[in-house]
Amino acid sequence: RQRRAWIKKYGNLVARGGDYPPAVLRVHPAATLRDVLVDERAVVPNFIPTFLLFPENHPAHIAFLKERKVLGLLQPKQQE
């Protein structure tokens, strides 16, 4: 019964529940890898971050952002 309900809701058994496509955190080019890994918006248990690089004014960048929820822009931290 649960399998049928899942298939009815998501289309097949491999589909993920929740937000899909996943949300995106935009990263400033000057931000370090440490900045990304310790940011609370990027911390997900048992997950390795994936970085996709697009030029800002490229049509693929605009289409990519239209499909996904943007969590914000990660700015670089000031070095002490």
Side-chain angles (χ1 to χ4, degrees):
R1 215 178 294 160
Q2 289 176 337
R3 288 171 57 114
R4 279 190 228 126
W6 183 272
I7 291 171
K8 184 177 179 183
K9 185 172 183 180
Y10 297 110
N12 60 39
L13 288 175
V14 228
R16 300 172 185 91
D19 291 339
Y20 195 80
V24 173
L25 176 64
R26 297 181 69 190
V27 179
H28 190 278
T32 64
L33 179 60
R34 184 181 191 292
D35 292 337
V36 174
L37 294 178
V38 299
D39 188 89
E40 64 273 357
R41 296 170 291 182
V43 175
V44 178
N46 300 323
F47 177 75
I48 297 173
T50 303
F51 296 92
L52 301 172
L53 304 174
F54 294 108
E56 280 286 322
N57 55 359
H58 194 277
H61 179 257
I62 297 163
F64 182 81
L65 293 178
K66 281 184 182 176
E67 295 173 355
R68 290 163 171 78
K69 176 183 169 191
V70 178
L71 298 175
L73 176 65
L74 181 96
Q75 294 287 348
K77 304 260 189 300
Q78 294 293 330
Q79 298 294 326
E80 298 170 3

